Amino acid sequence: MIIRGRVWLFGDNIDTDLILPGKYLILTDPNELAKHAFENIIEGFYSKISKGDIIVAGKNFGCGSSREHAPIALKYAGIGAIVAKSFSRIFFRNAINIGLPVVPSKEARDLLREGELITINLEDGYIEEENGRRIAIEKYPEFLLEILKDGGLIENLKRKLGRLNHGKNL
Amino acid sequence: MVISMGMTISEKILAKASGRKYVTPGEYVVGKIDLAMIHDLTGPLTLNVLKQVGYEKPWNSDKIVIIFDHQVPANSTITAELQKQLRKYAKKYGIKLHDVGRQGICHQILAEEYVKPGMLVVGADSHTCTLGALGAFATGIGSTDMAAVILTGELWFRVPESIRFELKGDLKLGVSAKDVILYIIGMVGADGALYCAVEFSGDGIRKMSIDSRLTICNMAVEMGAKTGIVDPDEKTMEYCGTGEIIESDKDAEYYKEFEINLNEIIPQVALPHSVDNVKPVSEVEGIEVDQVFIGSCTNGRLEDLEAAAEILKGRKVWKDTRLIIIPASPRVYMEAERRGYIRTFIEAGAVVCNPNCGPCLGGHMGILADDEVCVSTSNRNFVGRMGSPKSKVYLVSPQTAAATAVEGKLVDPRRYMGDMK
């Protein structure tokens, strides 16, 4: 899986209330959620980003609530991947489950610059800058990469449950 | 060769649930789920996922609970529609539903009626870690993970490293479990236990009530933990009735260990806008307060209301301050009523709302306006958490909250305890 986009730098402990305020949890349409991503800290974030842009943050990204609305809002706003020094565990799982690549990297935040174009290669495990410099990243366990390649757990489950002929169709 | 290695309670429960003799941290396992919970905000998203997958029949209706707690009774046509969907799904598959009248904060209802020691519990809410206080392995997951659980009864887990906090000694008068967990989070930071299971042991936790243990485990997620957990004991068994006692081995391995002397802790406050921005209340007394909230999955239990009632009895809420008190469940509400606490609160000038999450997450009942200050017994003080991004939230114990409501400014509750009066 290869992701290419421009860098948006963020700090430490970016919480789910910043990513998506609680009052929007009653929304279930991903495109509506997207409009409110980061609205309390970056005015017009939704209209400022381009499809494929990459968030590069400090430690503990996505801390706080289990709201899947938060990664959904970022994905549908057009974010292609999130690189961070570390992730809160529920956010990490949720992002993978909806097919939004989350990439732990201790170095990236300190090496990358705002607005630069980077390429992330998940299979081979690196982030490449425009000047060709590479930052190594840890590879995913195979089953997680499979979920991401399927575009998320939904497609992954469909494949698996389809084989098992589970339950009954809606 | 068989190597006999000690395991923590978390490792043992995950091993049992995944059909293994033992597991080690960092390993990935697939665990069979004993109990799964969704609520009125994460439930609809879960149903959406089921719809997209194309299957909706639960693997076992008896192991799923739906609890309305975030915006209940419905406060808009949107929430009314979402709750209607969940009602329909619950009815179709015979899933237990805590609807209006039996509603309450999901983690409290789970503690009172469903969770038993030794269980593997998942909830579509980050504070599901609360239930580890009962000797279960309980953790929060998102809506897509929950859809997978509902369909298959299983979920993958990375076996977490365990961090042990040994609590020693006794709490001073005016200091509560909330002060202990705020103190610990202030010490290790908001990512101090990232991905780890946080285990609380020692005579300090043994002496604490189940209510206190639930408060402590509740905030494990605020230091990034996967769960907070306590070995079950007689108190746990008395509270839960049944369950399997699984305990950490004496030679279990811990990633980190800390010793906390409870008698050194004084009332704590987490200042805006982060849960690890913790100071003793005595250092920041005097901040003027518009609203005080006593409730939430952290501090909406009987013991918390009792602590508040002791301070509010015969006193009045400050004229320019609003006090909102929300019991966590119908059981807590009824017992508080029977003991006269509810009357005490209303006479003091507080409003008492029906069991629900209240203003904690800025969705219902007590949302803050620009520049307002709220002193709250809940668990998060992020920017905009309780309403306006310009408002400020200070996290404290029920004792500190009650004393603050009386004075209209942040105050150390020890001033209301015997010798400090």
Side-chain angles (χ1 to χ4, degrees):
Chain A
M1 251 184 114
I2 290 169
I3 306 127
R4 233 168 110 77
R6 295 207 175 270
V7 168
W8 283 75
L9 290 180
F10 282 82
D12 292 337
N13 297 319
I14 299 298
D15 63 70
T16 49
D17 281 272
L18 287 181
I19 300 170
L20 188 85
K23 63 180 169 185
Y24 299 118
L25 298 183
I26 54 171
L27 301 177
T28 47
D29 177 352
N31 295 308
E32 284 302 311
L33 287 167
K35 290 176 189 165
H36 304 289
F38 283 123
E39 75 171 20
N40 277 349
I41 48 167
I42 303 173
E43 217 183 307
F45 178 79
Y46 173 71
S47 46
K48 282 178 185 163
I49 66 165
S50 311
K51 197 165 168 48
D53 280 0
I54 295 169
I55 289 173
V56 178
K59 60 181 188 174
N60 204 20
F61 189 92
C63 60
S65 147
S66 69
R67 61 186 68 159
E68 205 159 300
H69 312 65
I72 289 174
L74 293 180
K75 182 182 173 178
Y76 282 83
I79 293 297
I82 305 166
V83 180
K85 287 185 180 172
S86 61
F87 289 90
S88 108
R89 72 161 265 285
I90 304 179
F91 187 91
F92 186 82
R93 290 186 75 113
N94 287 348
I96 288 177
N97 285 342
I98 63 157
L100 174 63
V102 271
V103 182
S105 165
K106 291 267 180 272
E107 298 87 30
R109 175 65 179 77
D110 302 325
L111 296 174
L112 300 176
R113 282 163 296 113
E114 184 87 23
E116 77 168 299
L117 189 67
I118 59 170
T119 306
I120 303 173
N121 186 319
L122 290 178
E123 271 104 340
D124 295 336
Y126 64 82
I127 298 170
E128 189 171 272
E129 296 181 75
E130 257 178 312
N131 61 16
R133 178 167 67 169
R134 283 185 179 185
I135 303 167
I137 53 174
E138 211 172 302
K139 290 182 194 172
Y140 283 106
E142 198 49 46
F143 78 101
L144 284 186
L145 190 61
E146 192 185 292
I147 294 174
L148 274 178
K149 281 184 181 166
D150 281 342
L153 192 62
I154 291 175
E155 289 307 314
N156 190 261
L157 271 176
K158 267 192 199 169
R159 269 200 308 127
K160 287 185 179 159
L161 294 170
R163 272 203 311 267
L164 296 172
N165 196 20
H166 176 99
K168 64 176 181 184
N169 280 311
L170 286 170
Chain B
M1 191 177 75
V2 179
I3 303 166
S4 151
M5 252 172 55
M7 285 196 289
T8 65
I9 175 175
S10 302
E11 289 155 12
K12 284 184 178 178
I13 295 175
L14 285 173
K16 183 184 73 133
S18 58
R20 300 189 184 201
K21 278 231 164 62
Y22 57 76
V23 296
T24 50
E27 231 181 305
Y28 289 89
V29 298
V30 175
K32 292 211 181 306
I33 304 300
D34 295 309
L35 183 66
M37 183 280 302
I38 54 176
H39 59 57
D40 52 318
L41 285 187
T42 54
L45 214 52
T46 306
L47 295 187
N48 260 10
V49 174
L50 292 174
K51 201 172 280 174
Q52 290 172 60
V53 177
Y55 302 91
E56 65 164 20
K57 193 177 166 211
W59 102 99
N60 185 341
S61 296
D62 295 337
K63 294 187 175 181
I64 302 170
V65 192
I66 302 176
I67 303 173
F68 288 176
D69 63 357
H70 277 66
Q71 290 169 0
V72 60
N75 61 346
S76 69
T77 50
I78 300 177
T79 52
E81 286 296 332
L82 297 178
Q83 289 171 20
K84 194 169 94 179
Q85 287 174 20
L86 287 166
R87 257 177 223 122
K88 194 175 151 203
Y89 182 73
K91 195 159 196 174
K92 184 168 176 187
Y93 292 106
I95 297 168
K96 281 177 223 80
L97 168 69
H98 286 257
D99 204 339
V100 174
R102 291 188 65 220
Q103 94 296 343
I105 301 180
C106 57
H107 310 303
Q108 183 59 18
I109 302 277
L110 287 180
E112 289 173 359
E113 300 187 35
Y114 297 98
V115 173
K116 308 294 172 202
M119 279 185 167
L120 176 57
V121 180
V122 291
D125 188 280
S126 61
H127 290 106
T128 305
C129 58
T130 309
L131 285 321
L134 303 177
F137 188 91
T139 191
I141 59 174
S143 298
T144 302
D145 265 343
M146 185 52 80
V149 168
I150 286 176
L151 293 173
T152 67
E154 298 178 340
L155 194 65
W156 68 266
F157 295 91
R158 180 184 170 282
V159 178
E161 286 80 11
S162 289
I163 297 179
R164 180 163 67 177
F165 288 93
E166 190 173 351
L167 310 185
K168 292 185 148 181
D170 296 287
L171 286 173
K172 285 182 179 160
L173 197 62
V175 181
S176 75
K178 178 65 166 289
D179 298 303
V180 175
I181 193 63
L182 286 175
Y183 176 85
I184 288 175
I185 294 167
M187 185 173 83
V188 302
D191 66 341
L194 210 55
Y195 295 98
C196 295
V198 168
E199 190 176 323
F200 300 95
S201 65
D203 65 300
I205 198 88
R206 295 287 144 229
K207 285 181 216 163
M208 279 186 198
S209 65
I210 295 296
D211 279 7
S212 285
R213 295 179 193 180
L214 288 162
T215 297
I216 286 193
C217 289
N218 172 269
M219 289 189 74
V221 69
E222 309 312 334
M223 44 180 155
K226 186 168 193 158
T227 192
I229 197 162
V230 178
D231 276 348
D233 59 12
E234 320 76 61
K235 283 183 188 165
T236 322
M237 295 314 285
E238 195 192 321
Y239 186 93
C240 296
T242 59
E244 183 182 353
I245 296 208
I246 297 177
E247 297 173 301
S248 289
D249 292 325
K250 290 213 162 50
D251 59 344
E253 287 199 20
Y254 292 89
Y255 168 58
K256 283 179 189 166
E257 292 183 75
F258 297 90
E259 240 183 60
I260 309 286
N261 290 318
L262 296 184
N263 54 12
E264 286 174 10
I265 297 176
I266 56 176
Q268 306 283 309
V269 53
L271 308 171
H273 293 285
S274 118
V275 185
D276 59 1
N277 189 11
V278 177
K279 281 198 173 149
V281 174
S282 53
E283 286 181 21
V284 287
E285 279 187 306
I287 294 164
E288 289 190 18
V289 174
D290 300 292
Q291 178 170 300
V292 175
F293 168 46
I294 299 175
S296 85
C297 54
T298 316
N299 281 128
R301 284 174 271 279
L302 196 63
E303 182 178 282
D304 306 315
L305 301 187
E306 181 180 17
E310 277 172 11
I311 290 174
L312 291 167
K313 180 103 188 153
R315 294 192 171 95
K316 292 281 180 207
V317 174
W318 179 248
K319 61 182 175 58
D320 296 325
T321 302
R322 319 180 285 270
L323 173 59
I324 299 171
I325 301 183
I326 307 187
S329 72
R331 269 191 212 179
V332 171
Y333 199 175
M334 282 191 289
E335 184 59 18
E337 191 279 330
R338 196 185 66 79
R339 296 190 188 184
Y341 303 158
I342 303 297
R343 182 170 200 95
T344 298
F345 298 151
I346 296 170
E347 281 176 351
V351 62
V352 180
C353 305
N354 65 277
N356 77 103
C357 302
C360 173
L361 78 160
H364 199 26
M365 292 186 170
I367 296 168
L368 300 175
D370 282 1
D371 306 316
E372 284 193 324
V373 171
C374 180
V375 160
S376 172
T377 65
S378 55
N379 42 52
R380 287 185 181 138
N381 57 354
F382 304 148
V383 171
R385 171 73 181 180
M386 288 176 75
S388 163
K390 290 181 184 159
S391 62
K392 288 181 179 162
V393 178
Y394 294 76
L395 305 175
V396 299
S397 72
Q399 288 85 341
T400 303
T404 297
V406 171
E407 303 216 356
K409 53 191 187 206
L410 190 59
V411 65
D412 189 326
R414 290 177 297 167
R415 293 184 187 282
Y416 287 75
M417 310 280 156
D419 55 332
M420 280 196 71
K421 216 173 222 172

